[in-house]
Amino acid sequence: MPKEIVTESNQVELLGRAEKLNGKAKTHPGGIEIETCAAPECNLSKKDVKLFLDELKKYMKLFKSAFQRMEQIKKSRTYMNGLLGNTARKNVEQMALGMKEKVRSLQYFVGQSQWETEPVIAIHQGLIGETLGEEDGVVLIDESSSVKQGTKSVGVAAQYCGSVGKTANGQVGVYLGYASRKGYSLIEGRLFMPERWLEQEQAEQREECGVPEDLVFKTKPEIGLELLENAVKRGKLPFFWVAADALYGDSPAFRDGVAATGKFYFAAVKENSLIWCTPPKVHLPQWSGHGRHPTRVRLSDTRKHPIPVKQLVKKIQKQDWVRAVIKEGSKGPIVCDFAFLRVTESRSGLPAGQLWLIIRRNLDDPSEIKYFVSNAPVTTPLNEFVRISGMRWPIETIFEEAKGEVGMDHYEMRSWIGWHHHMLFVSLAHHFLVRLRIQFQEQAPALTIYQVRLLLCSVLPSFVLDIQSALEQVRYYQQHNFAAYLSHRKKKLAQLAAFSPNLAL
């Protein structure tokens, strides 16, 4: 039994701390206190809902200084209205037609116009800090994918797409989110570019998609760390913690980078991650008198090999598991068993310093076990790890809401600029819904993001498909399709002429 594990006496202390996460409540068998959510109430009036539109106008005015031209300000409002509105498919074409805007003009604003995203992100991050900020907030780093047809969209390649759970033709973005007890939202995203896209053979395609000339390949953990560092430099976003899954936790460089910002990481790692329960002794070999002087330490006892973290599970006795409520979920309390250890990480077969190892076991399915590491101080209250373990889930909820409510994966633009402009507006739109939910939580404390947008759509200018509008859409699609036909036919004829000069066309 590792001596670094929480003892039975500490277990009582932890359980008392964990219960405080859920407030005063009825005690159930097993000693776990569970708070029952109050029955939902919605005391919003028609007058309250009408204020939603005024709030949207005020919200967009906050970004006025980030745009250089009045036309850009107007188009940004139009695009936001489209993302928040009731259009079924929220691509530029559908939104523009639904709001009777010029399609080409809106496409140019989002997909080609060279306005900078950083000033918008800086304002947006500050607003998230105002709406959700807590000193012990959590920055979330994760990736999300969109399956795409064809090979022309920027960054598209055969790669693992979590949205379908397998390798598929698609785009993958790395995103930065924020979560606190008040709620959660999206800060920004960056498109992941597969290595083949940066090869010399792809230079023409990169140029067509407007990929920056100085762009170099970066792994997802490297992108995630860069997004985090940018957020820290901007300030105005209070947080202690950075939470990420095993893709990032298994990268020592990523975790070291997080630590270098002065933040605490809480990152999942794979079950085969190697550790020592007690720090092994190392020594610097004596110089033999020939060659270079030794500079790399070695294990003093080579028989003390590091072990995979999964081997610790069998050594933890029943009474040393701590049962704690993570949070109240939509289907009731989420309860897991926890074990907390101080261990020494192994890197390249050598000790790399002590850290926390948190083991979380699913109560319903004990075979489902997650492993997390953290650089938090030794004095960190154990119930804080329980809380943070439940703060990883909001990023998945953010992606679900962003895709379901504000068209995160509805875009049909192929350019580098277009992808990043769209994702930035998605972040703004999602945060606005969160902002409304919090602003009116006294009248309606159980409002969901879906319900907020439902109410907002009732006051947003909506598109009614009358006869005249239907005819205008038909004419637009016919002209658009015919122009595309002529363009493709011209290319086809040129190919045929090159292969068969004597072919009568």
Side-chain angles (χ1 to χ4, degrees):
M1 180 62 179
K3 65 179 182 180
E4 290 78 10
I5 199 167
V6 174
T7 63
E8 188 173 356
S9 60
N10 286 334
Q11 190 179 144
V12 176
E13 180 185 359
L14 170 64
L15 197 55
R17 291 170 177 167
E19 288 169 352
K20 292 179 182 178
L21 293 175
N22 302 284
K24 296 179 180 179
K26 185 177 179 181
T27 301
H28 283 238
I32 296 176
E33 291 189 1
I34 301 172
E35 180 181 9
T36 302
C37 292
E41 293 183 1
C42 182
N43 296 318
L44 289 169
S45 64
K46 290 184 179 180
K47 185 179 179 180
D48 291 328
V49 176
K50 288 179 181 178
L51 291 174
F52 283 19
L53 190 57
D54 292 333
E55 291 301 321
L56 178 57
K57 293 177 181 178
K58 292 177 185 177
Y59 182 70
M60 292 309 297
K61 281 184 180 179
L62 298 173
F63 296 94
K64 186 176 180 180
S65 62
F67 296 100
Q68 297 179 342
R69 296 167 47 216
M70 183 57 66
E71 182 66 17
Q72 294 173 340
I73 297 172
K74 291 179 180 179
K75 292 303 179 186
S76 69
R77 293 171 182 169
T78 300
Y79 202 75
M80 280 286 286
N81 286 350
L83 293 178
L84 292 165
N86 59 4
T87 307
R89 186 71 184 170
K90 296 178 180 180
N91 55 49
V92 172
E93 191 175 66
Q94 290 292 322
M95 291 192 298
L97 292 173
M99 294 181 289
K100 296 188 176 181
E101 294 281 342
K102 293 181 179 180
V103 175
R104 289 288 180 87
S105 179
L106 195 58
Q107 283 177 333
Y108 177 82
F109 167 71
V110 181
Q112 294 176 270
S113 182
Q114 298 290 322
W115 54 272
E116 293 292 331
T117 59
E118 181 56 35
V120 183
I121 296 172
I123 296 172
H124 171 57
Q125 179 171 309
L127 292 175
I128 290 179
E130 291 179 11
T131 307
L132 304 174
E134 288 184 333
E135 188 178 3
D136 58 355
V138 184
V139 162
L140 311 169
I141 299 177
D142 204 354
E143 68 278 353
S144 183
S145 60
S146 297
V147 176
K148 292 291 179 181
Q149 300 293 326
T151 60
K152 299 297 183 181
S153 297
V154 61
V156 72
Q159 53 191 322
Y160 180 79
C161 294
S163 58
V164 292
K166 62 180 181 180
T167 298
N169 191 64
Q171 294 168 304
V172 177
V174 179
Y175 297 88
L176 204 68
Y178 183 83
S180 69
R181 297 171 187 83
K182 298 178 182 179
Y184 47 81
S185 196
L186 200 60
I187 300 173
E188 67 166 317
R190 177 97 47 91
L191 183 65
F192 169 71
M193 293 291 282
E195 284 188 88
R196 78 164 188 83
W197 264 84
L198 299 172
E199 296 173 353
Q200 183 59 37
E201 293 78 5
Q202 302 296 321
E204 185 176 344
Q205 191 169 11
R206 288 199 303 274
E207 184 177 357
E208 289 177 0
C209 293
V211 177
E213 293 183 2
D214 59 350
L215 188 70
V216 296
F217 175 75
K218 291 181 181 178
T219 65
K220 294 170 188 174
E222 287 173 335
I223 294 173
L225 180 59
E226 192 169 299
L227 293 177
L228 172 67
E229 291 170 341
N230 290 342
V232 171
K233 289 177 184 176
R234 293 186 201 107
K236 300 180 181 180
L237 192 69
F239 67 100
F240 282 161
W241 296 92
V242 177
D245 64 18
L247 174 65
Y248 305 87
D250 285 330
S251 168
F254 171 81
R255 288 190 279 113
D256 289 348
V258 173
T261 67
K263 306 301 180 181
F264 307 142
Y265 57 76
F266 185 92
V269 293
K270 293 178 182 176
E271 63 179 13
N272 60 356
S273 299
L274 299 176
I275 57 94
W276 282 279
C277 290
T278 55
K281 293 181 179 180
V282 296
H283 71 282
L284 186 66
Q286 290 186 348
W287 183 46
S288 64
H290 303 284
R292 295 181 179 179
H293 287 265
T295 57
R296 190 171 186 269
V297 298
R298 297 180 181 177
L299 292 176
S300 298
D301 187 347
T302 57
R303 296 171 299 176
K304 291 186 176 181
H305 300 291
I307 62 171
V309 292
K310 65 179 179 180
Q311 287 189 15
L312 291 174
V313 176
K314 296 179 180 179
K315 298 181 180 181
I316 302 173
Q317 298 177 16
K318 183 178 180 179
Q319 68 270 20
D320 290 315
W321 285 100
V322 178
R323 187 157 295 176
V325 180
I326 299 176
K327 66 175 183 175
E328 183 72 18
S330 60
K331 298 180 180 179
I334 299 174
V335 185
C336 289
D337 289 333
F338 288 86
F340 307 88
L341 301 91
R342 292 293 294 178
V343 298
T344 299
E345 181 184 9
S346 173
R347 295 188 185 179
S348 302
L350 292 172
Q354 285 196 311
L355 42 68
W356 281 101
L357 172 65
I358 299 96
I359 304 176
R360 189 182 73 195
R361 185 173 66 184
N362 189 296
L363 197 61
D364 297 324
D365 181 8
S367 66
E368 184 181 321
I369 300 174
K370 299 291 184 181
Y371 305 89
F372 305 91
V373 293
S374 177
N375 65 326
V378 179
T379 55
T380 302
L382 300 181
N383 71 307
E384 184 70 349
F385 292 127
V386 175
R387 181 179 78 90
I388 301 301
S389 75
M391 298 296 275
R392 270 280 306 130
W393 292 317
I395 192 67
E396 299 299 335
T397 307
I398 291 172
F399 291 150
E400 181 180 346
E401 292 173 349
K403 291 178 179 180
E405 302 304 320
V406 291
M408 181 180 184
D409 58 348
H410 292 190
Y411 63 93
E412 294 180 357
M413 290 164 291
R414 295 176 174 178
S415 69
W416 172 269
I417 286 179
W419 190 94
H420 288 87
H421 284 175
H422 173 76
M423 292 306 170
L424 178 53
F425 278 118
V426 165
S427 301
L428 267 58
H430 183 270
H431 175 241
F432 175 70
L433 295 176
V434 172
R435 194 177 173 95
L436 279 181
R437 180 184 63 78
I438 292 176
Q439 184 175 344
F440 292 92
Q441 63 184 353
E442 287 189 10
Q443 298 99 311
L447 272 183
T448 65
I449 295 301
Y450 163 76
Q451 293 163 359
V452 174
R453 196 180 71 82
L454 179 66
L455 294 170
L456 178 62
C457 284
S458 70
V459 292
L460 275 175
S462 58
F463 175 58
V464 179
L465 190 65
D466 53 24
I467 295 175
Q468 182 60 35
S469 299
L471 285 170
E472 289 175 1
Q473 283 203 29
V474 167
R475 292 176 184 130
Y476 168 81
Y477 283 124
Q478 287 184 343
Q479 293 172 2
H480 177 79
N481 292 340
F482 185 67
Y485 157 74
L486 291 178
S487 177
H488 290 308
R489 187 175 189 276
K490 183 178 179 180
K491 291 180 181 178
K492 186 67 174 179
L493 292 177
Q495 291 175 351
L496 291 172
F499 287 116
S500 306
N502 299 322
L503 181 66
L505 298 174

